Amino acid sequence: MIKTSSLGDVFHTLPALEDAWRSVPGLTVDWVVEEGFAAIPAWHPAVRKVIPVAWRRWRKQLFSAKHRAEIAEFRQQLNGEQYDLVLDAQGLLKSAMITSLVKTDKQRKAGLDKHSARESLAALAYGQKYPVAKGRHAIHRLRDLFGKVFDYQCEELEFSYGVDRSRWQRPNIEGNYWLFLHGTTWVTKLWPESYWKTLAQQAVDQGRKVVLPWGNDEEHERAIRIAEGIEGADVLPKMGLNELTAWLAYAEAIVGVDTGLCHVAAALEVPAVAIYGSTDSSLTGALGPEMEVLASEYHCAPCLSRKCLNPGEGEVEPPCYQEISPARVCEQLLTRLGRTDVIAAN
């Protein structure tokens, strides 16, 4: 299977793989994925081997001696054995190119048809081409594709990522804690800092602890400001994805914005709320059995802009987050946790 990137795309593929694993006896998969995400496919029991590709790095100096040697080694891994099927689950020219590098009969190569693939020319690489309706969430499209490839009805299967949280060890923390994924790339994706601070206080008032991860200096400074003055709110040390995933896996609840780590939370099937303002969750947003998406209904949302196009005059910026208050987020989480008694009391 070829699904190289991005982080969200890799996680979007896991429910489809889980469907296939349940439906095809003895299924084993070798997964071609960008080297930066190579740890993730092994989270699923159907994956026998991960074949890392470094296209993002190679394309910067495609003809350097080092990269040519790495590409040759990669091609050798692709053709280390004869596969029953080569499935391009991405539908891009780069994934079709990788598909073409596998030395096998074209009829053993499958993917989206030209009307369904994001880049229609990719379909030229496949002998088996499948139509999948556009305008649906990427997870549902992938589940549909896998169902057609392996001939089963994905609608009849329970939606699950198939990730076993017990593969991670619980962090050294006592009691229940909520984890806040406050960092993201665009300014317009950021939920107001004052809202995070209010929500942290509400969580502590409910007897929870709050932990705040970070990935860069800006996020670190924000985490410190959110936790400041709140006993029971702590800033985590900087850590890699695997270590942070352990914190996500054992959280009682997670709150996040439009960030790749929300897809990790969805895959772990931990009760979570994802907050969307400027971006659209309908096609590639966080989605999972325990994930609740709160999307702004402000008149210009989602604007898909890195800069607010209609700044307001109130205290909340961007104004599309005015309606997604800390109280509303807290209520959604407590509902998911079955604490309706607490909600009524408040």
Side-chain angles (χ1 to χ4, degrees):
M1 182 176 70
I2 295 144
K3 187 73 164 184
T4 61
S5 59
S6 59
L7 180 65
D9 290 341
V10 172
F11 278 100
H12 288 162
T13 312
L14 289 173
L17 181 58
E18 174 68 6
D19 290 346
W21 189 61
R22 295 180 191 179
S23 304
V24 183
L27 176 71
T28 57
V29 175
D30 291 355
W31 188 330
V32 179
V33 68
E34 267 288 339
E35 59 182 358
F37 310 127
I40 297 167
W43 294 3
H44 196 281
V47 177
R48 180 188 65 166
K49 182 170 69 172
V50 177
I51 303 176
V53 62
W55 176 247
R56 291 181 172 183
R57 181 166 53 83
W58 292 341
R59 67 185 179 185
K60 296 176 183 177
Q61 291 182 305
L62 197 57
F63 300 106
S64 71
K66 177 185 177 183
H67 289 176
R68 288 203 309 270
E70 290 179 354
I71 291 169
E73 182 180 353
F74 169 67
R75 294 184 67 172
Q76 187 175 6
Q77 287 190 69
L78 282 181
N79 293 289
E81 62 182 271
Q82 183 71 27
Y83 289 103
D84 299 302
L85 180 72
V86 181
L87 174 57
D88 180 356
Q90 196 134 22
L92 299 177
L93 289 175
K94 68 175 181 180
S95 56
M97 179 185 67
I98 295 170
T99 303
S100 299
L101 292 176
V102 184
K103 295 178 181 179
T104 190
D105 184 355
K106 189 174 181 179
Q107 282 305 120
R108 292 176 183 257
K109 298 177 179 181
L112 296 165
D113 69 15
K114 66 179 182 180
H115 302 294
S116 307
R118 184 173 168 187
E119 296 177 351
S120 58
L121 289 176
L124 296 174
Y126 325 132
Q128 303 176 39
K129 306 173 187 184
Y130 297 92
V132 173
K134 292 184 176 180
R136 303 171 65 208
H137 195 283
I139 288 177
H140 298 313
R141 296 189 77 231
L142 283 163
R143 293 184 74 194
D144 191 8
L145 172 63
F146 277 56
K148 290 179 177 180
V149 169
F150 294 109
D151 194 25
Y152 59 80
Q153 296 296 318
C154 62
E155 295 84 359
E156 299 175 0
L157 300 172
E158 180 184 359
F159 178 19
S160 175
Y161 285 79
V163 176
D164 183 0
R165 280 182 274 170
S166 67
R167 67 183 293 122
W168 292 276
Q169 185 176 354
R170 180 182 167 89
N172 185 23
I173 184 172
E174 294 183 2
N176 292 327
Y177 61 91
W178 291 6
L179 188 146
F180 292 174
L181 298 171
H182 56 92
T184 187
T185 50
W186 299 2
V187 173
T188 52
K189 293 182 185 181
L190 291 171
W191 201 45
E193 193 172 305
S194 61
Y195 276 12
W196 284 115
K197 196 168 186 69
T198 299
L199 182 63
Q201 186 63 63
Q202 290 174 340
V204 170
D205 291 344
Q206 297 293 339
R208 273 75 172 186
K209 296 178 181 178
V210 171
V211 295
L212 298 149
W214 55 279
N216 55 44
D217 290 344
E218 180 183 340
E219 292 177 7
H220 187 211
E221 292 169 3
R222 184 190 306 115
I224 291 172
R225 291 193 298 269
I226 293 169
E228 186 177 6
I230 302 177
E231 187 174 351
D234 293 308
V235 178
L236 294 177
K238 190 173 185 179
M239 58 187 67
L241 178 61
N242 193 59
E243 189 178 359
L244 178 55
T245 300
W247 283 90
L248 291 165
Y250 288 93
E252 183 188 36
I254 297 167
V255 183
V257 289
D258 184 3
T259 173
L261 289 171
C262 260
H263 298 292
V264 184
L268 294 168
E269 300 179 16
V270 174
V273 168
I275 301 165
Y276 284 76
S278 64
T279 51
D280 189 355
S281 65
S282 61
L283 298 181
T284 58
L287 183 68
E290 292 293 335
M291 176 65 70
E292 181 81 22
V293 171
L294 293 182
S296 174
E297 296 181 359
Y298 198 65
H299 67 88
C300 57
C303 63
L304 308 180
S305 174
R306 292 174 180 263
K307 181 179 180 180
C308 183
L309 303 176
N310 291 289
E313 298 179 356
E315 296 180 359
V316 176
E317 293 292 342
C320 54
Y321 292 115
Q322 290 177 359
E323 62 192 85
I324 309 178
S325 66
R328 183 180 172 192
V329 173
C330 189
E331 180 177 338
Q332 289 292 336
L333 279 182
L334 292 172
T335 298
R336 284 208 161 266
L337 295 172
R339 296 293 303 277
T340 53
D341 56 325
V342 176
I343 297 170
N346 288 341

